[in-house]
Amino acid sequence: MLLIGLAGAAHQAWSANLYTTVSDMFPKKAVASVIGMGGMAGSFGGMLFPLLTGALLDHFKAQAASPPATPSCSASARFAYLVAFGLNHLCAPKYEPLRLEY
C-alpha cells in the first residue's frame, strides 16, 4: 500500500514539474495552447496504448510456447518515465525561455 502511495506521489510531482516547465519556457499567450497540445498528445497515447497492448497480448496468446506478454507490458510502463525524461531533455536541453513572435 505504501508503494502505491509513493508511486502516486511521484507521478503527481512529475506532472506538476511538466506544467511548470511549460509556464517557465513559453510566453503567457502560448502556455494554454502548449498545455492543450500536451493534453491532446496524452489522450491520443491513452487511446493507442490499449490497442497496442491488446495486439501484444493476442500475439503472445497465439504463440503458446512463448513467454507471457505481461513482462513486456510491465517493461513499457517501467521505462515510460525514463523515455519521457529523455524526450524532455532532447526537446529542451537548456530550459531557456522561448521567444515567440506573433
Side-chain angles (χ1 to χ4, degrees):
M1 189 69 140
L2 184 65
L3 189 59
I4 293 172
L6 181 64
H11 175 73
Q12 186 61 36
W14 172 261
S15 65
N17 281 327
L18 283 181
Y19 281 123
T20 314
T21 301
V22 172
S23 64
D24 287 345
M25 291 185 63
F26 289 91
K28 288 182 180 183
K29 292 181 179 180
V31 170
S33 297
V34 173
I35 288 180
M37 287 186 281
M40 181 190 66
S43 297
F44 188 66
M47 290 187 314
L48 285 181
F49 187 74
L51 296 173
L52 295 174
T53 303
L56 183 67
L57 291 172
D58 289 342
H59 172 73
F60 279 109
K61 188 177 181 181
Q63 299 176 353
S66 64
T70 306
S72 301
C73 295
S74 297
S76 66
R78 283 190 297 256
F79 293 113
Y81 285 102
L82 293 175
V83 170
F85 183 74
L87 287 173
N88 197 5
H89 280 283
L90 182 68
C91 292
K94 296 182 182 180
Y95 289 108
E96 294 175 346
L98 297 175
R99 293 186 188 104
L100 299 177
E101 303 278 333
Y102 289 99

